Amino acid sequence: MTHDQQFLVGCVVTLLFLAAVVGGPLFLALRMMPRINRARRRRQIETAMRLGVLDGELIQEVGDKLYREREGQA
């Protein structure tokens, strides 16, 4: 095998190795990202809704307290 052929084989092997090392994880990441983003967004929405319910309860408590104070003063 000549030097040029060895160089060409080495380049091809290097490219295949890099494709496997870089391309494999990149391919898996691109396939998994929609599911990961969907799960993350679902958790964010659930947290926002839980905080909204808590805020509603606190608003009701404060409103009741203010109403009782106003009725007591009248």
Side-chain angles (χ1 to χ4, degrees), residues 7-61:
F7 178 75
L8 188 60
V9 170
C11 288
V12 169
V13 169
T14 302
L15 286 175
L16 290 175
F17 177 74
L18 287 176
V21 171
V22 175
L26 183 62
F27 174 75
L28 289 176
L30 290 175
R31 286 195 47 120
M32 298 299 290
M33 285 308 291
R35 281 186 241 160
I36 293 170
N37 287 337
R38 180 179 171 88
R40 180 181 300 133
R41 186 65 184 137
R42 182 184 183 115
R43 287 191 305 269
Q44 290 173 345
I45 290 171
E46 182 179 355
T47 301
M49 290 181 74
R50 287 183 188 273
L51 290 174
V53 169
L54 179 62
D55 287 346
E57 292 171 356
L58 292 175
I59 289 170
Q60 186 66 36
E61 288 177 18

